[in-house]
Amino acid sequence: GSKSLRVITSTQFLISPIGTRCQHGLYFQDGERRVDYILTYHIKKPSSSRSNRQSSRFTDNAFTRSLRRGTARLGRAPPPQPRGDPEVASQDHSMDYHVDDKRLHREEFEGNLRDMGIELEKDEDTKTPGVGFVKIHAPWHVLCREAEFMKLKMPTKKVYEMKQSTGVGAKINTLVNKVTEPLYPNVEDNRTHNVKHLSYMFSREKQHLFDLSDRDSFFDSKTRASIVSVIVSSRSSRTVDWTLLFKCGPCNACYVLTFCCSVFQLLYEEWASYSVFYKYQPIGLVRKYFGEKIGLYFAWLGLYTQMLIPASLVGVIVFLYGCATVDDNIPSMEICHPKNNITMCPLCDRACSYWKLKEACGTARASHLFDNPATVFFSIFMALWAAMFMEHWKRRQMRLNYEWDLTGFEEEEVSDHPRAEYELRVMQKSLKKEHKTQKVLIEKEKLTCRDRLPAYMTNVVMMLLMIGVTFAIVFGVILYRISTKTALHMSNNPTTRSNVRLTVKTTAAIINLVVILILDEVYGAVARWLTVLEVPKTDKSFEERLIFKTFILKFVNAFTPIIYIAFFRGRLVGRPGSYLYVFESYRMEECAHGGCLMELCIQLSITMLGKQLIQNNLFEIGIPKLKKLIRYIKSKRRSFQEEEREKKLQRYETDHFLEPFAGLTPEYMEMIIQFGFVTLFVASFPLAPLFALLNNIIEIRLDAKKFVAELRRPVAARAKDIGIWYNLLRAVAKVAVIINAFVISFTSDFIPRLVYQYMYSPDGSMHGFVNHTLSYFNVSNFQDGKEPMDPQHQVEMCRYKDYREPPWSNTPYVISKEFWAVLAARLAFVIVFQNVVMLMSDIVDWLIPDIPKDISLQIHKEKILMVELFMKEEQGKIQFIDSMMPCGGKEKRNNHAPIARSRSIPHTHSHTHANNF
Amino acid sequence: GSKSLRVITSTQFLISPIGTRCQHGLYFQDGERRVDYILTYHIKKPSSSRSNRQSSRFTDNAFTRSLRRGTARLGRAPPPQPRGDPEVASQDHSMDYHVDDKRLHREEFEGNLRDMGIELEKDEDTKTPGVGFVKIHAPWHVLCREAEFMKLKMPTKKVYEMKQSTGVGAKINTLVNKVTEPLYPNVEDNRTHNVKHLSYMFSREKQHLFDLSDRDSFFDSKTRASIVSVIVSSRSSRTVDWTLLFKCGPCNACYVLTFCCSVFQLLYEEWASYSVFYKYQPIGLVRKYFGEKIGLYFAWLGLYTQMLIPASLVGVIVFLYGCATVDDNIPSMEICHPKNNITMCPLCDRACSYWKLKEACGTARASHLFDNPATVFFSIFMALWAAMFMEHWKRRQMRLNYEWDLTGFEEEEVSDHPRAEYELRVMQKSLKKEHKTQKVLIEKEKLTCRDRLPAYMTNVVMMLLMIGVTFAIVFGVILYRISTKTALHMSNNPTTRSNVRLTVKTTAAIINLVVILILDEVYGAVARWLTVLEVPKTDKSFEERLIFKTFILKFVNAFTPIIYIAFFRGRLVGRPGSYLYVFESYRMEECAHGGCLMELCIQLSITMLGKQLIQNNLFEIGIPKLKKLIRYIKSKRRSFQEEEREKKLQRYETDHFLEPFAGLTPEYMEMIIQFGFVTLFVASFPLAPLFALLNNIIEIRLDAKKFVAELRRPVAARAKDIGIWYNLLRAVAKVAVIINAFVISFTSDFIPRLVYQYMYSPDGSMHGFVNHTLSYFNVSNFQDGKEPMDPQHQVEMCRYKDYREPPWSNTPYVISKEFWAVLAARLAFVIVFQNVVMLMSDIVDWLIPDIPKDISLQIHKEKILMVELFMKEEQGKIQFIDSMMPCGGKEKRNNHAPIARSRSIPHTHSHTHANNF
């Protein structure tokens, strides 16, 4: 309809997959065998870029040589004797030999693949210069064999009807379904849920169980591709890691063809479009096209976004409660009261003057918005929300596992295979060792801790250095703030002076944000470089190490300034008369009256909004657009002829020009940092969930668009869970409890207020609280040269926010008893809050079963049905045998149980007897 | 040899299983088919115990009726119309009908079993009156079928050699093996570890993979029994739960025969004997005989005991450190100093007199043993130890799973089947509903929350009541202590008075112990009763609910008195002049000087040792001996003739007289309570691990003996893990961190000492600490009638242990600043300790991988080998087909890949080329 038309026109570059040309190149030359997988490689260009190659010749040579020798050793051929220094030998390699060598290896690899039963078709004469394509097709018997090895569960012919609940529950269900109807995407998949095919592990001996009438579609394109991918990357490569040949070069890649089947069309319309932002995602379809791993990501993102709805609702209510009660708040009323005449000590040395507490009226009122009893409730709520989210995700995951026939599947296979870089290092090591000991090593070498020590050391040093850089920058921003503030205070312009605080705060926060954004990119690159340096053995371990490092760096980067403001700012200021100085001259900054909560809130909102708007949206939308523009300009420069040629490109050629799929790590990372913003400091910024929600609604469709239109279709990976991300989420949620406890008890004035109300207040009300929190300072006690220059004030005593003895006591300016009492109360609150919330989370964890009731029942039922099916089959077989051997068979079966047979007559009798009674 | 002889003679009662008679009754009458399983039932005794039966007639009748109707409905027969009130109808049942009815049902059940292919043999004319035996044999085809359904992994013919590490590692390994040689049990099993059979899921289509030359021993006795057990309990009972017939009666049981094979003999000598207490257990053998679940229990117990060795070592060192430094401890030196002349306020009203602090010298010195900096280290150590233990167990479990071919097995099957009692309740409910609505319900009913509400209510009320009882008893003991102390203080005998403290403490602890022991038994029964009341659906949920309840009750029971002493005692005493009174006249008890740590230690050691000695050893050794004695006396009373007859009993008849297996719950529960003692208050009792270790060394052999000799051989249950127990262990370890934090900071004087040293001490030493902790009290401020009667002392001021203002301050007796400072320090310590230890535990958890490296490599290797095996097989098949069809086959395989073939010639060439270079 008009909708799909609009979609097409709005994404011009991508018109091809949906256009008519898309059948082009989906099949082998014979038009029958489907292309399941594509490998590309660099082919020798007669003359171009030779100098470029020359430079990389040496390393490449060493590499191929070791590769060759590795092949020889690990393969069936006898190991050749190493002759002399390999480095000397490599010097006299000719360029041509090198290119030849690579081709020969590739051909050996292709031969291996053919031995595995896979069919190949080469296409070197494409219109794309320098790139050769190998189209791969897996015939039926290979698919069956590998499906059996991979223990794929496939739907059998046996269908069973899922029980529909009846009664009141069903009616409510129908009603709910009707109401939420518009929220479901227009996908058939979601409707036919009351009939399900039993699934069973595919086995060639049990083929009769499966509906094999249409062999072409029994294994769908994603399954076929992943089967081929397993063969290519692990089965055939046991001799040596040949994937190196295909993965390492700049143009070498392996990918799956974008199919322009109905699934793709549907995804385009019902998923990757902003117009359906309010709908559930068609997760089943996503999984069908992209595989389980990507399906799980989007399911997780969907659930997270969904769970953010109640959180942001409650957050908004809490915020509104703060707004509504701001006029009833006694402390801020007292501060703003016109008769309030408290003189405060100056905020900086010399330049600043004494000031009236009344001036802090605005800040005090504003800080009540985020510092009221509802915030305590909200942070408990959010801790439980996080626990609930985890539990719900576990359940959702289990449900998806069941629906996607992953129960009983164990992750492994591809990921356990050593990485090419690792093998290369191992080979280099054994070469070196052989050279040293002058004998051939039979045993396979491993990279020991000693080999990795330098890399580990670099890792530790670099990580510490990076974290140090973050700290240094935060410190720099502090200095900026202090010095600017003093400078601005000295200015004579009264409007400048009145806006000092806001200006300084905002510019500092923006500087912080910019630094965070820049460092984020730097840290991502550093983490990757460090991980490459480590040479982890498997892809899985590479990914985990990379994620771990990136996570730590990005987390530290995002949260250090915030943690400084929340817990350190205004705490290390000393007291009037003996302030604390940095670099001898910079007095540490104080918070405005009303705690640092307000500033924390400003910093949080700027960082979070800025990160989301700039990093997620601007970068993710803007950069692809920019790339497209560049591509467009480039194509303009090309001759018309080439452009024409491009239109006739095969499907696999167009796909080749899409961006390669780089893994889900950046997507998850972005979300987990956001999860940090939503949970970690939620006590001081209850609107965080709302901002996250708004961002995520866009994010889902943005990612969807990216996967559908801008990336090469990735090989479908099976996954039961989201792996390390779940653990990171748990860790963040755990840390959040502690941080919130500290924010409430130390950053906000919640505890001092409580202590005042129940221990010191004469009438149990908050009246007098402000006065109680302010200590006295005798102006004559200022150090020389630190007293304010301003002559207009004649004061004897000024006040400052701290619990210290007054000047007239025996021990002036010593920390008072109230301080210790409040401190004890704060600490007690932390202990109680932390343990109560952790206990409640554990109870939530324990109360909500990991496997949804209906799913566990379903699984159980399916098992029984499967056994029944087999039993029936067996009975049928036995009856068949019995009928073939009318007496012999029966005899044989029962000759051991004469008593049994003789007793079976009364038994049937008894049965009827019982029924008739 | 002489050893085995000794074993036999030392356990006379058990001579039979090893004697020559044991082949008796292991086979069917034909002497060929093995008895895999035994069912017993009550047979009608002509006259005896009729009156007894009469009483239970009604309930039984209602039960069988509903059962019959359930059968009718769920089976194939059409549902009969209910006629009138079932209760009225049940009144006119005759006794004979009832017995008949039961027999008929049993026969129908047996018919069902036969339909499943199982062979039965009845033996009603045994020498055991009133008991009928059904011997069950599963023929080969049934075993194969069920093994396939149960997805059993069986060893294939394919053998592979496990790589032996070489180099230095191997040498160390050999050395270690040689040193630990005597620690290994004399079991073949442990030696042949360098060759392993590949395992594969048994499948009838893949029989050629397995070594089926000896069909009788391919499935061992435990596997056969568990297969039959699955058939009996779940497969055949889909029509109705017939196991009721066999399980419910007093004599009805199902069990496996004790086999007197070599395994049993070996277990007897190398496992269930005190003489091998220092050896590892032959876990493989235990698993082979008793199945995975029991094997896991003993493996867990073994690991726990092993892990206790380092813990108790460190504990002893910490204790010795305390002993060694007792003379250097300044606070106790100050107390014991002869010049110390501090007068303390009286410990009770009127009766007690002022006392000199010097008198507390002994207690102060003793409390240093358990209250020194080493204790803090030890409790951190033990928290990490607990985390380490968990991690090690996970690894051990994984290793065992691998060795026992359980990887990939999912627990379910039997445990998911509804319990008989549940089905009965459901049937009753639907009967009632049918009666009400007068129509037959097609749908199966479920027990809803509403049905269970009364049971839940009872549960909650009873649990609260039981916990209340525990609290009441603890409170009673407190009152006993207070009143006895006062009474003893009044006595004129000076020796009595001097021993007051010790006498009261010890008797109170013993009373507590006795109460704990009695309540433990009561609570076990109550928990079971409450769980039965709940009617949980499956066996698994029954077990979990029971365990949960028992755990809570027993834990509360064991630890309430200890928690009282640790955290409440001496804290709610008020101050001189305004003491706190219970019941108007009992002043709350104080701790002796030196904190309550000493008393906590006494209470802990008495409870722990008493529980272990009396409950575990006396009960577990004594009661079976007593039972044996009773049996012996009974048999004496019997005629000689009967005794003679007993000797000729069949194997299954002797087994019938053994105790039935009641599950592992009590064993685990005992250990988990002990784990609580070892971890929860370890800060105050560093010798706990040692006591636990000594107990467990005995416990292992004791349990082993029980399983081998005194229980019916249980049906082997498969299990991958220890289930709920692991979670309970985790929970205990978590709680332990918090409790230890509180014990160190609040019960011990560790924090006050630190605070004094760094905040108040004039010279940074501990001198003056004792004086600092004592407040002053002006004797004239005593309430009237509360002052000591003793006229011999003339004092003006007495001291008491608290941080309060002195009488001469502006605010006398008000809590002082020092109190708040110390409190803040204590709370800060709790926060720091808890979070640091939790973080460290998490790091331990994260650093130690759950799957041991070698196991994951092995699993991966096996997978590859398996795929290779299949590929080779396939290749063989294809070659066979090719050779049958010399041209057609080849053509067909390759007709789609002409390019491929043509390119395969240079490819082989290139290979040789590369090698020759």
Side-chain angles (χ1 to χ4, degrees), chain B residues 554-723:
Chain B
K554 292 203 169 182
F555 230 74
V556 167
N557 186 28
F559 290 103
T560 308
I562 294 168
I563 284 179
Y564 163 73
I565 289 182
F567 302 124
F568 297 102
R569 183 134 175 234
R571 254 151 251 287
L572 306 163
V573 290
R575 60 168 180 86
S578 86
Y579 280 115
L580 218 78
Y581 291 91
V582 200
F583 297 144
E584 308 269 301
S585 58
Y586 292 102
R587 195 175 121 190
M588 283 303 287
E589 48 184 351
E590 278 178 81
C591 287
H593 194 87
C596 290
L597 207 65
M598 196 60 219
E599 303 206 8
L600 176 58
C601 185
I602 292 175
Q603 177 78 46
L604 262 175
S605 51
I606 287 182
T607 313
M608 188 178 170
L609 282 181
K611 254 183 88 80
Q612 288 192 347
L613 282 181
I614 297 174
Q615 204 167 32
N616 303 3
N617 298 348
L618 210 76
F619 283 13
E620 281 196 39
I621 302 177
I623 286 180
K625 287 250 187 270
L626 208 76
K627 274 192 187 162
K628 242 179 251 172
L629 194 74
I630 292 169
R631 233 183 262 129
Y632 181 73
I633 293 168
K634 262 192 191 162
S635 72
K636 271 255 167 135
R637 265 194 284 160
R638 267 192 238 157
S639 63
F640 175 77
Q641 190 188 7
E642 282 210 29
E643 219 172 297
E644 191 62 355
R645 205 193 59 190
E646 202 171 73
K647 273 190 187 157
K648 279 185 201 139
L649 281 182
Q650 304 272 33
R651 180 71 247 150
Y652 50 85
E653 287 172 287
T654 28
D655 276 4
H656 180 72
F657 287 107
L658 293 175
E659 294 253 323
F661 169 66
L664 287 163
T665 309
E667 321 289 336
Y668 273 119
M669 189 64 73
E670 189 183 297
M671 280 301 124
I672 222 154
I673 300 272
Q674 194 203 63
F675 186 75
F677 277 106
V678 169
T679 53
L680 286 182
F681 289 92
V682 85
S684 60
F685 188 40
L687 293 181
L690 182 68
F691 289 132
L693 175 65
L694 295 178
N695 176 68
N696 284 7
I697 287 171
I698 303 170
E699 180 75 21
I700 291 179
R701 307 301 157 179
L702 203 71
D703 281 352
K705 269 181 187 294
K706 198 166 81 184
F707 273 93
V708 169
E710 280 160 35
L711 295 182
R712 283 184 199 151
R713 184 178 172 190
V715 180
R718 281 200 292 177
K720 278 191 100 159
D721 50 42
I722 57 173

Side-chain angles (χ1 to χ4, degrees), chain A residues 388-438:
Chain A
M388 207 85 99
F389 169 51
M390 304 292 178
E391 284 310 300
H392 265 96
W393 171 243
K394 266 197 255 170
R395 286 164 70 86
R396 174 69 56 92
Q397 200 168 255
M398 197 59 222
R399 188 180 293 275
L400 291 178
N401 276 339
Y402 166 71
E403 277 171 13
W404 297 349
D405 289 330
L406 289 174
T407 46
F409 151 71
E410 281 164 84
E411 264 171 281
E412 254 177 303
E413 294 291 327
V414 194
S415 55
D416 265 12
H417 196 72
R419 299 185 78 225
E421 287 82 0
Y422 177 82
E423 297 248 312
L424 184 60
R425 270 290 294 276
V426 167
M427 236 169 251
Q428 279 171 349
K429 189 188 166 188
S430 48
L431 275 179
K432 217 184 256 172
K433 210 167 182 180
E434 275 179 29
H435 181 233
K436 231 186 226 161
T437 57
Q438 294 292 341

Side-chain angles (χ1 to χ4, degrees), chain A residues 693-898:
Chain A
L693 175 66
L694 294 179
N695 177 67
N696 284 7
I697 287 172
I698 302 170
E699 180 74 22
I700 291 178
R701 306 301 157 179
L702 204 69
D703 281 352
K705 269 181 187 294
K706 198 167 80 183
F707 273 93
V708 169
E710 281 160 33
L711 295 183
R712 284 186 199 149
R713 184 177 171 191
V715 180
R718 280 201 291 177
K720 279 191 98 160
D721 49 42
I722 56 174
I724 192 174
W725 298 109
Y726 186 76
N727 299 331
L728 290 181
L729 275 181
R730 279 193 84 96
V732 170
K734 260 190 191 175
V735 172
V737 174
I738 301 168
I739 288 195
N740 275 314
F742 274 98
V743 167
I744 292 173
S745 65
F746 282 91
T747 313
S748 87
D749 269 345
F750 179 69
I751 300 296
R753 281 200 301 263
L754 274 188
V755 170
Y756 176 76
Q757 195 162 7
Y758 293 106
M759 275 179 71
Y760 297 104
S761 173
D763 55 353
S765 76
M766 290 300 295
H767 289 289
F769 171 69
V770 175
N771 191 38
H772 183 256
T773 57
L774 299 174
S775 299
Y776 290 90
F777 179 70
N778 193 329
V779 173
S780 61
N781 292 344
F782 264 126
Q783 286 166 280
D784 289 339
K786 304 284 184 189
E787 69 269 16
M789 298 182 299
D790 192 11
Q792 70 190 75
H793 286 283
Q794 286 300 331
V795 280
E796 230 175 88
M797 289 281 173
C798 68
R799 310 286 297 270
Y800 60 101
K801 204 187 174 197
D802 207 342
Y803 293 101
R804 285 178 186 270
E805 300 279 343
W808 55 82
S809 82
N810 299 332
T811 49
Y813 308 131
V814 158
I815 287 166
S816 69
K817 194 164 138 187
E818 283 79 36
F819 173 84
W820 292 111
V822 168
L823 182 63
R826 286 175 185 220
L827 291 167
F829 178 82
V830 169
I831 294 175
V832 170
F833 184 89
Q834 184 186 354
N835 287 300
V836 165
V837 170
M838 279 191 340
L839 184 72
M840 278 162 83
S841 301
D842 280 350
I843 288 175
V844 165
D845 191 354
W846 176 73
L847 276 185
I848 302 179
D850 285 358
I851 303 174
K853 193 86 189 164
D854 56 327
I855 296 293
S856 70
L857 282 178
Q858 210 77 266
I859 291 173
H860 185 61
K861 195 178 166 189
E862 280 194 13
K863 236 173 222 170
I864 289 176
L865 281 174
M866 212 62 226
V867 167
E868 242 168 31
L869 187 69
F870 284 128
M871 288 299 289
K872 218 176 272 171
E873 217 171 69
E874 181 131 336
Q875 230 97 52
K877 254 186 232 163
I878 289 170
Q879 268 166 21
F880 179 73
I881 292 167
D882 280 4
S883 67
M884 295 291 277
M885 296 177 263
C887 45
K890 256 209 162 82
E891 283 285 292
K892 202 170 177 205
R893 271 180 68 230
N894 294 317
N895 61 350
H896 283 320

Side-chain angles (χ1 to χ4, degrees), chain B residues 8-27:
Chain B
I8 291 166
T9 47
S10 70
T11 53
Q12 282 195 335
F13 184 74
L14 276 145
I15 203 160
S16 57
I18 316 182
T20 48
R21 281 177 339 205
C22 68
Q23 291 297 322
H24 222 65
L26 287 183
Y27 291 87

Side-chain angles (χ1 to χ4, degrees), chain A residues 358-376:
Chain A
K358 244 183 294 182
E359 293 170 29
C361 172
T363 332
R365 284 174 63 91
S367 76
H368 173 75
L369 296 183
F370 303 102
D371 185 5
N372 58 53
T375 332
V376 179

